[in-house]
Amino acid sequence: MKKVLITLILILGSITIYAQNDGQWGGLYLKARISDKLGYYGEHHIRYTDEGNGFYLHKSYNRMGLNYFVNDHFDIVVGPAIIGKFNQDTGYGEQDPYDQTTLMEYRIWHQYLYHHYIGRAKIYHQVRIEHRWEDKVGYTKYSNRYRYKLYAYIPINNKHMSPGTFFVSPSVELFMQDNHTHSLEDLRIYNAIGYKFNETTSFTAGHMWTYNQTATSNVFRFSLYIDFDLRK
């Protein structure tokens, strides 16, 4: 088992060394189970990017929602999201990349999440639909985005995701959009290594490769997950 863990760490390390590091994301994910049917869900991201001048703050994400648990395998989330886009080009010519405008984006989003097991791996199918009002320079643009994400949690040193478990989490996500020139917005392939500290807290770190109509990029993500059960 130690050999497996060392191999995974070396793989992630080699990706970090040889891939072009275009971005770094930090994320906090919060869940609170209020009752058998209801809960709170939150995602809070800080995203940095590098366009050749060093890393600078690119976006902040604050996504919140009311979680409704249909059954043990399927749940729904509905809520708002507030996104800050920093150092955005105003479109009025070349500027210092550290002295540009800030644009806001507001969303109403709903998510449908189904999960099941294949052996010890827990498989998730996530469909997320977002209604977006994006601030542009001089106007606001409305569009819809449709996302499908397939991901898994695979414990390594235990059969289940119990405290003290190392795990891997591979994922692929497809983004489609309307009211834009191209329907395909993004494709993300993300592989992470994680550790579950206790019943409420876990952490992951990994590499994400992204593709869109204009570029590909490599992003390194670090995420903290906190999951409370207030029924206890």
Side-chain angles (χ1 to χ4, degrees):
M1 188 56 63
K2 290 183 178 179
K3 292 181 179 179
V4 174
L5 292 176
I6 292 172
T7 301
L8 290 171
I9 292 170
L10 289 175
I11 291 172
L12 181 59
S14 65
I15 293 173
T16 305
I17 292 171
Y18 293 107
Q20 181 183 354
N21 189 351
D22 301 308
Q24 293 182 2
W25 295 5
L28 172 63
Y29 296 78
L30 297 173
K31 291 183 180 180
R33 189 72 175 262
I34 301 170
S35 68
D36 290 344
K37 288 297 185 180
L38 296 177
Y40 169 82
Y41 181 88
E43 293 181 6
H44 307 280
H45 286 191
I46 292 292
R47 300 181 180 181
Y48 290 85
T49 191
D50 181 8
E51 296 181 353
N53 301 303
F55 284 98
Y56 64 91
L57 181 61
H58 181 53
K59 292 181 181 180
S60 68
Y61 275 70
N62 291 284
R63 186 191 304 274
M64 299 141 288
L66 178 66
N67 207 162
Y68 177 72
F69 299 91
V70 179
N71 54 45
D72 291 339
H73 297 277
F74 181 59
D75 65 87
I76 300 169
V77 185
V78 179
I82 302 172
I83 296 91
K85 300 177 180 179
F86 309 102
N87 303 299
Q88 298 294 301
D89 189 354
T90 62
Y92 299 133
E94 294 185 2
Q95 297 187 34
D96 186 329
Y98 296 95
D99 187 26
Q100 297 186 2
T101 191
T102 296
L103 300 174
M104 299 301 296
E105 181 179 331
Y106 305 96
R107 300 177 186 172
I108 298 296
W109 66 288
H110 37 112
Q111 174 179 288
Y112 308 88
L113 183 65
Y114 174 76
H115 58 83
H116 59 93
Y117 283 92
I118 298 178
R120 65 167 62 187
K122 192 172 185 179
I123 311 299
Y124 291 83
H125 304 269
Q126 175 183 290
V127 174
R128 184 175 286 182
I129 301 172
E130 300 169 318
H131 311 286
R132 306 185 294 179
W133 291 264
E134 303 174 73
D135 280 352
K136 302 293 184 179
V137 178
Y139 69 100
T140 299
K141 182 175 184 177
Y142 175 79
S143 64
N144 299 297
R145 183 161 73 174
Y146 312 94
R147 304 166 55 170
Y148 171 71
K149 182 178 181 180
L150 174 65
Y151 64 103
Y153 287 101
I154 308 171
I156 299 172
N157 57 324
N158 291 308
K159 291 184 178 180
H160 305 286
M161 290 287 291
S162 54
T165 299
F166 288 93
F167 61 92
V168 293
S169 181
S171 70
V172 58
E173 186 170 15
L174 178 67
F175 295 69
M176 303 296 290
Q177 61 185 355
D178 59 20
N179 199 21
H180 287 266
T181 304
H182 301 286
S183 297
L184 174 64
E185 180 177 355
D186 212 354
L187 174 66
R188 297 177 182 175
I189 298 174
Y190 176 49
N191 295 289
I193 300 172
Y195 180 75
K196 188 174 180 65
F197 295 99
N198 51 47
E199 292 291 349
T200 62
T201 308
S202 58
F203 175 81
T204 61
H207 168 266
M208 183 177 71
W209 178 83
T210 71
Y211 166 82
N212 59 39
Q213 297 293 336
T214 59
T216 63
S217 61
N218 293 281
V219 178
F220 293 91
R221 300 178 58 172
F222 307 90
S223 301
L224 180 66
Y225 301 82
I226 301 177
D227 189 348
F228 296 105
D229 192 339
L230 302 180
R231 297 172 298 173
K232 298 178 180 179

